[in-house]
Amino acid sequence: MKIKERIIILGATGSVGTTVLAEIAQHRERFEVIGISCNGNVKQALTIVQSFSVPNLAVVHPKISVPQDVGAKIFRDVDGLVEMVNTLDFDILVVAISGLNGLRPTLKAIERGRTIILASKEVLVVAGEMVMHLAQIKSAKILPLDSEHNAIFQCTRGENRFIRQLWLTASGGKFWNMDPQTIRHASVTEVLQHPKWSMGKKITVDSSTMANKGLEIIEAMHLFSVKPEQIKVAIHPSCVIHSLVEFCDGSFLAQMSPVSMKYAARYCLFYPERIDISEPSLNLFQLESLRFEHPDLERFPCLRLALAVAKEKQSKHIAFNAANEIAVELFLQEKIAFGTIPPLIESILTKIESKDYATVEEIMAVDQMVRTRTKQLAKDFYI
Ligand code: MG
């Protein structure tokens, strides 16, 4: 009998974490969840601890209290995530927490030569070179769980050197063909109604501004060792093709599956094998048209900014990510308008020198500095 794969899931209560757990629940003979983390949703985390008999739980939010005797060893704060990854005996680390909290535990797992299923795009956006370089030295596998990158990963198995271009598809959110003036004044409720994907609030806003696609361009550069000029974005409203690879001989490969993260999660969990499932997948005869559109950079200024940022050094990548995160937070609090997210990010980017860094501490310091400056600058944009 095959020994079970031991898994730690960081961000187990989020939308990606939940999807991964649902897949694991169907294959308990193959996997053993030995550690999970949550930010503040201890209630849901404890339900997972119980139903998967998880012996270790990390709670990141410093102000959330954890009841005693929950049947699991408790780790606290971001340091607790690193400690968990450093001390437990595991095979696979799933990184599904948003923000930079995933960076240090990811690096620690790579140092230990473990397999990483990576959903947190921020990790590669702020430290892609460091992460990929270390993974190569330590022979640690990085399996991308972001649907676009997962699609490309499925299409390029062993053929990275033949890539001519990568085509990232984007749903375009609900605004892809709306008039730019209307988009600028969209309310929080309107922005949060994504037509295709059901996701967390931050990523749903990012999908509507296409800042998400911007972050994914930087993510793809690092994952597949391609130049920013080799990455194209196509709006594909039906969301059936999750991305495409154009090879040097003129052939394209695309990956298709229904609009759900479970297909990417399943691929990563069973890689390099494929699991046999009994449920129906796509019905080709019921598909909408597979059309593609150019993204309009006037409608999506965040994508224009990201395309420029991708060609710059690391400091600009960190700044784009951090400024966007603060801008989205302020929009969700209804302090700034939807249309002021891009100019706020742009005004920070012009103030940051283009520079590379060698340590996590430097990355964290720049990230913090940008957050503080964005909050100060945002006051000029308040409604
Ligand atoms: Mg994605």
Side-chain angles (χ1 to χ4, degrees), residues 176 196 235-241 256 284-293:
W176 73 273
K196 291 283 178 183
I235 306 244
H236 173 50
S238 53
C239 296
V240 178
I241 290 181
M256 297 163 70
L284 294 181
F285 301 106
Q286 285 177 358
L287 288 186
E288 291 175 47
S289 96
L290 294 181
R291 73 188 165 123
F292 299 92
E293 305 269 344

Side-chain angles (χ1 to χ4, degrees), residues 178-206:
M178 265 189 201
D179 138 62
Q181 196 55 32
T182 317
I183 298 174
R184 279 196 271 276
H185 300 288
S187 71
V188 171
T189 321
E190 283 166 335
V191 172
L192 290 181
Q193 291 162 343
H194 196 280
K196 291 283 178 183
W197 288 92
S198 143
M199 307 173 287
K201 280 185 188 173
K202 155 80 171 42
I203 190 167
T204 305
V205 178
D206 283 353

Side-chain angles (χ1 to χ4, degrees), residues 121 145-149 169 197 199 203 212-213 216 219 261:
K121 54 194 83 187
L145 184 44
D146 203 348
S147 65
E148 296 76 0
H149 306 78
T169 53
W197 288 92
M199 307 173 287
I203 190 167
N212 183 49
K213 213 48 56 182
E216 288 178 354
E219 197 186 353
M261 286 306 294

Side-chain angles (χ1 to χ4, degrees), residues 58-248:
V59 179
V60 175
H61 200 297
K63 291 190 181 130
I64 302 283
S65 62
V66 184
Q68 304 226 308
D69 302 327
V70 292
K73 181 178 174 190
I74 304 296
F75 295 80
R76 291 306 310 242
D77 304 326
V78 182
D79 287 343
L81 298 180
V82 180
E83 193 192 338
M84 193 155 89
V85 172
N86 196 28
T87 54
L88 300 185
D89 196 10
F90 70 96
D91 304 295
I92 300 172
L93 176 72
V94 179
V95 186
I97 37 183
S98 53
L100 296 203
N101 285 348
L103 178 57
R104 285 169 54 223
T106 301
L107 288 168
K108 186 52 80 182
I110 295 174
E111 256 172 47
R112 297 186 66 194
R114 302 305 201 258
T115 294
I116 321 286
I117 296 182
L118 188 60
S120 304
K121 54 194 83 187
E122 293 90 343
V123 168
L124 288 173
V125 169
V126 306
E129 233 171 271
M130 190 186 283
V131 168
M132 296 309 287
H133 181 67
L134 190 64
Q136 200 180 17
I137 295 172
K138 301 287 181 183
S139 303
K141 283 193 203 80
I142 310 267
L143 309 177
L145 184 44
D146 203 348
S147 65
E148 296 76 0
H149 306 78
N150 186 271
I152 292 167
F153 189 67
Q154 292 199 40
C155 294
T156 53
R157 287 173 77 157
E159 294 200 311
N160 279 18
R161 66 190 187 284
F162 299 123
I163 295 171
R164 177 188 284 165
Q165 297 192 117
L166 301 179
W167 290 86
L168 296 178
T169 53
S171 70
K174 64 189 296 189
F175 300 137
W176 73 273
N177 55 1
M178 265 189 201
D179 138 62
Q181 196 55 32
T182 317
I183 298 174
R184 279 196 271 276
H185 300 288
S187 71
V188 171
T189 321
E190 283 166 335
V191 172
L192 290 181
Q193 291 162 343
H194 196 280
K196 291 283 178 183
W197 288 92
S198 143
M199 307 173 287
K201 280 185 188 173
K202 155 80 171 42
I203 190 167
T204 305
V205 178
D206 283 353
S207 170
S208 301
T209 60
M210 285 191 79
N212 183 49
K213 213 48 56 182
L215 295 169
E216 288 178 354
I217 290 171
I218 302 172
E219 197 186 353
M221 270 166 46
H222 294 299
L223 272 172
F224 306 105
S225 303
V226 295
K227 298 188 187 78
E229 299 78 22
Q230 289 174 278
I231 304 175
K232 306 289 172 207
V233 173
I235 306 244
H236 173 50
S238 53
C239 296
V240 178
I241 290 181
H242 298 296
S243 276
L244 309 92
V245 181
E246 180 181 346
F247 289 100
C248 55

